[in-house]
Amino acid sequence: MNSLVSEPSAAPPLVVRNPYLSGLRCIHCARDYPLQDLPAGCPHCAAAGTPASLEAVYTELPKTLKTASTGYKWGAWLPYTQGVSLGEGGTPCLDLPRLARSFGLKQLSAKHEGMNPTGSHKDRMSAQAVSRALDVGAQTVVLASSGNAAVSAAAYCAAAGLPCEVATYQDMPEPYARALHRLGAKRLTFERGFGRWEHLRRRVEQDGAFALTNYSVPAVGSPAFGVEGYRAVALECVADGCVPDHVLVPTARGDLLWGLYSGFRDLLQAGLVARMPRLWAVEPFPRLARVLGGEPAQSEFAGSTAQFSIAGSTVTLQQALAVRRSGGGAVVVDDAGAVEGSARLGAQGLWVELCAGACLGALAQLRARGEIAPSEHALLLLTAKGDRDTLDTLP
């Protein structure tokens, strides 16, 4: 560990599993599995050459958004009703009337995930995933990330008293590296992305470490228990009366995108919303856009970007299904467009990471194409605050 001071050991946080959590289900073949950890996704689909993520299955979900006074606010909709927490969630849906007028929209809102404890939406995943690690008696947590997920996991593992090991790129931005050091995580550096995943596979399959992120090639989403945490974003929107027609989501491999889809889908089935919002994946160069256009999902889509949080060369089935099933799609916004969008959000008092600014560029394209009508309500998912964008990464 890199911690500077050794703290006395303390009892880990109390973890309470949702009594209605019954197992896992493949999002592709719908095969059911007993409750267990399958970080590489559905074994059946992997063997068939169509890698797919898993999601949690509940025997019963609430028919109301009334929440419990203890534990996780939305625990009845999530794998764990109580567990590791730093006060994540409850981020505001902010109305942006000036920007709405400039885009010719009835309503434009922003869900500001930068107001989570470590400054990004990843805290929602970390709370559920690290709770799962405690529940199964994990001794070490491992993940591959060079951005917000790394910082978040390090913080939540520290809160849980679990060692955290992060496989990063060699050129990880200094603000992230400094945060990992301060939070006591062990950092290993790699030149190539697939090198990080190979390391994780060895640590999980040979050493028994607990994986917080994907390591499969071809890629699937992160393990199901963590991804389920993003369902709370949809629940909060509805509870706050912010039910959009469209949601624009900065996307790498689609964990947040799938969590939003899953949450809104179950709200729709419970009769708590009247419609499924159309979900739009915002990406820095064509990846999902090419898959939706007919290219194989398991290809590698090379490209470079300063939008560090949504870099990467792979596409997952979960992100393709989320946009297809919701009636949305993919929108490409380059770095120049992301910088312009970030500046426009800054003029509204919103200091966000570069890829969150790309949502405005995507909105402009969708309005120009007629995909979003003037009478509709669009929601921007602002994934993180802007303090980790460094000057040397910006165009």
Side-chain angles (χ1 to χ4, degrees), residues 49 80 92 287 294 318 376 382 384:
Y80 289 90
R287 295 176 307 219
Q318 65 178 1
E376 292 185 307
L382 307 182

Side-chain angles (χ1 to χ4, degrees), residues 22-363:
S22 62
L24 301 173
R25 179 173 296 148
C26 177
I27 66 171
H28 181 228
C29 71
R31 188 177 297 260
D32 288 321
Y33 293 92
L35 196 62
Q36 61 187 296
D37 291 289
L38 293 169
C42 174
H44 176 78
C45 286
T50 55
S53 302
L54 298 165
E55 64 175 340
V57 177
Y58 308 88
T59 56
E60 185 178 337
L61 285 171
K63 299 297 183 183
T64 175
L65 285 178
K66 186 177 180 180
T67 59
S69 59
T70 59
Y72 292 138
K73 182 176 182 181
W74 303 108
W77 294 81
L78 305 174
Y80 289 90
T81 62
Q82 190 166 337
V84 185
S85 179
L86 292 172
E88 64 287 335
T91 59
C93 280
L94 305 171
D95 199 34
L96 304 174
R98 283 186 290 158
L99 280 176
R101 287 193 296 272
S102 71
F103 282 96
L105 277 177
K106 173 186 174 183
Q107 187 175 1
L108 178 62
S109 304
K111 180 74 166 163
H112 196 351
E113 290 293 284
M115 299 182 75
N116 278 300
T118 74
S120 86
H121 67 291
K122 298 290 187 179
D123 292 346
R124 299 179 184 272
M125 180 170 76
S126 294
Q128 288 288 320
V130 176
S131 294
R132 175 65 182 175
L134 284 178
D135 187 25
V136 298
Q139 298 300 304
T140 301
V141 166
V142 296
L143 68 152
S145 172
S146 293
N148 294 319
V151 175
S152 180
Y156 280 76
C157 284
L162 280 173
C164 180
E165 181 180 299
V166 188
T168 79
Y169 288 119
Q170 183 71 42
D171 59 349
M172 182 185 200
E174 178 57 30
Y176 294 94
R178 188 166 56 248
L180 291 188
H181 175 76
R182 187 65 59 87
L183 292 165
K186 180 180 180 181
R187 180 189 173 200
L188 297 95
T189 60
F190 298 84
E191 291 293 338
R192 297 174 57 251
F194 291 128
R196 300 180 305 155
W197 292 4
E198 290 165 3
H199 171 76
L200 253 65
R201 181 182 293 278
R202 288 193 298 270
R203 294 288 284 127
V204 173
E205 297 180 357
Q206 297 179 18
D207 304 332
F210 184 92
L212 252 65
T213 59
N214 167 68
Y215 55 75
S216 299
V217 180
V220 295
S222 295
F225 298 101
V227 176
E228 289 285 301
Y230 292 133
R231 288 159 53 85
V233 179
L235 299 166
E236 288 175 12
C237 286
V238 175
D240 291 342
C242 181
V243 185
D245 299 293
H246 303 265
V247 187
L248 286 73
V249 188
T251 299
R253 281 181 287 275
D255 290 343
L256 175 58
L257 195 67
W258 178 264
L260 281 165
Y261 168 76
S262 170
F264 279 117
R265 176 200 63 196
D266 288 353
L267 287 164
L268 185 63
Q269 291 175 356
L272 296 173
V273 294
R275 62 187 182 278
M276 165 68 73
R278 296 175 70 187
L279 303 178
W280 300 94
V282 182
E283 55 186 4
F285 50 86
R287 295 176 307 219
L288 180 58
R290 290 168 62 180
V291 171
L292 297 177
E295 294 191 33
Q298 292 149 27
S299 305
E300 184 171 355
F301 303 96
S304 61
T305 179
Q307 299 175 62
F308 206 81
S309 293
I310 57 171
S313 60
T314 56
V315 169
T316 61
L317 179 64
Q318 65 178 1
Q319 67 196 90
L321 291 181
V323 298
R324 282 174 173 149
R325 291 176 180 176
S326 69
V331 188
V332 177
V333 179
D334 63 17
D335 291 346
V339 169
E340 179 183 353
S342 297
R344 293 188 71 178
L345 288 169
Q348 308 298 309
L350 299 174
W351 183 38
V352 298
E353 67 175 341
L354 197 58
C355 68
C359 287
L360 278 186
L363 179 61

